[in-house]
Amino acid sequence: MEVNINHQTFFVNGQHLIAALESYGLTQTKGVAIAVNEHVVPKSSWESFQIHPGDHITIITAAQGG
């Protein structure tokens, strides 16, 4: 299925959010927040959260600085 991750189109093999994150190449999940269609998905739900064709997934990574 085709989804949009951070403004790029990705083809995902699977129906759960974790499959989309793997397709994106996300390996580090510490300090990461995920939103699907502008709704935050708790990390505890990433493996079971079902995605749909055309969903917009936003991956936000915390950064250090001052």
Side-chain angles (χ1 to χ4, degrees), residues 17-64:
L17 180 57
I18 198 74
L21 301 179
E22 289 169 358
S23 293
Y24 184 71
L26 184 68
T27 57
Q28 170 66 315
T29 61
K30 187 173 184 176
V32 173
I34 307 291
V36 177
N37 300 324
E38 299 184 11
H39 293 93
V40 175
V41 178
K43 187 179 258 184
S44 60
S45 299
W46 289 2
E47 291 201 26
S48 61
F49 188 89
Q50 191 164 1
I51 58 174
H52 302 93
D55 276 352
H56 291 269
I57 301 168
T58 304
I59 300 173
I60 301 166
T61 304
Q64 283 184 232

Side-chain angles (χ1 to χ4, degrees), residues 1-4 10 12 14-15 37 50-56:
M1 107 176 70
E2 187 175 303
V3 296
N4 182 291
F10 284 84
V12 177
Q15 297 179 342
N37 300 324
Q50 191 164 1
I51 58 174
H52 302 93
D55 276 352
H56 291 269

